[in-house]
Each structure stands twice: as structure tokens, then as C-alpha cells.
Amino acid sequence: MRIATLQFAPTLGAVKANIRLANSLLETSRPTHLDLLVLPELAFTGYNFPSLRAIEPFLEPTASGPSTEWAIATARRLHCHVIVGYPERHTNPETGQTTNYNATVTVGPSGEVLANYRKSFLYYTDETWASEGFRDTPWQQPFFLSSKLGGLASVGHGICMDINPYRFEAPWTAYEFATAMLEANVKLVVLSMAWLTRLSEQDLAVEPERPDMETVAYWLERFYPLLNAGAGEEVVVVFANRCGTEGNRVRNGSVQLENGHVEVEQGDRVRMFEKAGHEVAILGKGEESVLVVDTEQPARYLLQHKVA
């Protein structure tokens, strides 16, 4: 399977300009024979809206706004599946009541909408305008979507904060998201993200092509149940993050960083795929680019725990 992630630095609220930037990066890289293209969380609107009032002009109808329209056009042009994050406004057809969600839409190669996942675990920035995705389910319990998507087989969907403990109140070792993926027996996990970094804005400007491995290590730790499950089939995990800053609010979540394709081997081993140039398949903390990985090729780079 050929999987691509599109990492860029969207400008908050500049939807048309962000779409033009994404198109430009795709035009420059010209990825071919893709099976899946993944974009970050709230890819074209930006993430760091301080209130409902601020994000309201950018809310999109369920699977039918500018983000979905872009995904449909791009999926048809590249003949692949596309997943993109967007701010959803859902209207109940019976009552007319509206509910907002931080969501991703998945579109198939012919332009059909295949899935619409709503973020279950909200970060505090989300809580100002969005509802927890699982609240629209009959069982009212945390829910992470796993679905069969045509030739992609069983796919697990998540958005950023989903991999953390619920509201940072659940036990660290609950591993709700990773456990759900393990129980669903998915072979591909896709995460759209707008993850913050502990690096300063000045740090991000130094060697922007270098990844922040501290964050990568954190992400992998949140998949401990898969690592500890014993021998079994491999699971491919895709982290599709953004880069850049939004305003000067570096400390409270406005700085995010690199994408990576990581193959998590059960049995406490992690292998990372290779990108062009015989390098590990991770984009740098300030790099705007398209990262393409062929999962049919061996994941050559082995990560191992170092014992102090």
C-alpha cells in the first residue's frame, strides 16, 4: 500500500489560501499510484480557535463543505482514498438541532464519502466549540471508529487527543485508543493531528528538516498495548500532523510538528519505514512536504528500548 501524508502550516481561518498551499505541495511532489492520502486535523481552517464565535464562520456541513469538496476532487484526480480533518456542523434531520464536532471525512477513489469520524477525546481548545464524538451514539461511551474501506481493509480512525487518557483524568495506563484498535484487530491506524510541541518558536526555526523525536517517542508510548500484545501480524500506524505556528501562542498548543509512518510490530518492537533518499520516513518539525511510503517494502529501521 502506498500511503502519503501532506504536512503544511495552515494559516488560521484562511481556508482558500490553505487549500491553494495544499494543492501547490501536491503539484510539486506529484505523488503517483497512491492508495491513501492523509491530511492533518482541521487541515484547511487551522486549529487554534479561541471560541465558538471565532470558529463558527468556518464550520462545515457534515461531509459536504469545502474540505470534503477538496477531498472528493483530489481523490478522483489521484485515484486514491483521501482523509482530511474539518470542523463539522451536523444538523439533526428530524429536529433541526445542530451539533459541532472535530471530524475527519474519508473519501474513496471515485469520490464517494466512505466514513465520517468524530473526535472522541477533546483537547481543551476543542471544548470551546465541539462535542465529544461518542455522545451521538446510543451507548454514550468512548468510541473509536474502525471500518472496512474498500481495498484498504480494516482501518482504525483517530484524531490527535484520542490517543491520550480521557480528559487527562483516566489512568495513564488505560490506553483507551490503542486498546480499542487492538480489540478491533485493525491492520492500519490513521491519525490526523494538530499536535503541540514543547519546543519554542525559535527552536522550530533551527534545522526545520529535523524531526522532534521526543514527540515521536511519546506517540509510540501511547500504543503500548499493541507493542505488548505478543507475536502477531504487523499493524501500520500513520501520524499525519501539521507544522508551523498560529499567532504567538506557542505554549498552549499552537505549535505542531512532523508526520511519520510507523510500523508497530507486536512483540515490543517498532520498525519505521523508509522514504526517498534512504532516510527514516518522518518529516521535519518545520517541513512543508508530502511524505510517501510503500508499506509493501520492508520497514528497515528498527527502534529499540534503551535500558539505562
Side-chain angles (χ1 to χ4, degrees):
M1 183 186 306
R2 283 176 59 83
I3 303 174
T5 52
L6 173 54
Q7 174 170 290
F8 63 107
T11 300
L12 192 69
V15 175
K16 291 182 180 179
N18 294 332
I19 287 175
R20 287 196 298 269
L21 175 56
N23 287 337
S24 175
L25 290 168
L26 286 172
E27 179 63 26
T28 300
S29 63
R30 295 186 179 274
T32 58
H33 307 295
L34 295 182
D35 297 292
L36 174 64
L37 170 65
V38 189
L39 270 69
E41 177 181 13
L42 303 185
F44 297 133
T45 60
Y47 178 79
N48 203 21
F49 291 95
S51 66
L52 171 59
R53 182 179 180 180
I55 198 174
E56 197 154 23
F58 306 101
L59 296 172
E60 303 180 18
T62 303
S64 61
S67 298
T68 303
E69 292 170 0
W70 181 90
I72 290 171
T74 303
R76 288 172 174 167
R77 186 175 74 255
L78 298 179
H79 308 291
C80 71
H81 296 78
V82 175
I83 297 177
V84 59
Y86 76 104
E88 176 191 0
R89 169 156 285 179
H90 173 71
T91 302
N92 186 306
E94 297 180 358
T95 66
Q97 180 178 352
T98 60
T99 310
N100 304 327
Y101 299 101
N102 184 332
T104 59
V105 63
T106 302
V107 175
S110 63
E112 71 279 22
V113 174
L114 300 177
N116 191 78
Y117 170 69
R118 293 162 177 165
K119 189 175 185 179
S120 288
F121 292 1
L122 303 184
Y123 192 56
Y124 73 88
T125 308
D126 304 311
E127 291 175 342
T128 64
W129 63 271
S131 296
E132 294 172 326
F134 62 85
R135 296 300 180 188
D136 66 345
T137 63
W139 47 91
Q140 293 285 297
Q141 295 295 320
F143 168 79
F144 305 106
L145 177 66
S146 57
S147 59
K148 293 190 179 297
L149 300 179
L152 300 184
S154 183
V155 179
H157 302 258
I159 302 175
C160 206
M161 176 69 185
D162 280 337
I163 69 174
N164 278 320
Y166 178 57
R167 298 179 63 89
F168 291 116
E169 296 171 355
W172 178 259
T173 54
Y175 295 109
E176 300 100 319
F177 181 82
T179 299
M181 296 298 103
L182 184 63
E183 292 176 348
N185 196 33
V186 300
K187 302 308 174 194
L188 172 63
V189 179
V190 178
L191 291 153
S192 290
M193 311 178 88
W195 196 274
L196 62 91
T197 177
R198 296 201 301 175
L199 298 175
S200 69
E201 190 169 1
Q202 291 72 28
D203 291 333
L204 292 177
V206 177
E207 296 184 298
E209 73 283 355
R210 293 179 63 87
D212 181 348
M213 292 306 295
E214 180 183 12
T215 296
V216 174
Y218 182 95
W219 289 345
L220 295 179
E221 200 282 332
R222 296 308 301 161
F223 281 87
Y224 177 77
L226 274 72
L227 296 171
N228 199 44
E233 294 186 54
E234 295 170 351
V235 179
V236 175
V237 183
V238 180
F239 301 96
N241 200 30
R242 55 158 291 172
C243 62
T245 64
E246 288 179 342
N248 59 2
R249 302 176 66 184
V250 175
R251 293 183 57 196
N252 66 3
S254 60
V255 180
Q256 288 80 27
L257 54 153
E258 80 278 339
N259 299 329
H261 292 270
V262 180
E263 180 176 290
V264 179
E265 291 192 1
Q266 295 175 345
D268 204 25
R269 292 189 300 167
V270 175
R271 289 189 179 273
M272 304 186 76
F273 287 106
E274 182 179 13
K275 64 181 179 181
H278 306 292
E279 298 176 312
V280 178
I282 304 177
L283 288 177
K285 57 184 179 288
E287 198 174 358
E288 293 185 300
S289 185
V290 178
L291 175 63
V292 180
V293 162
D294 186 350
T295 64
E296 298 300 317
Q297 300 300 315
R300 298 177 55 203
Y301 296 95
L302 177 64
L303 271 67
Q304 295 177 308
H305 294 292
K306 182 179 289 186
V307 179

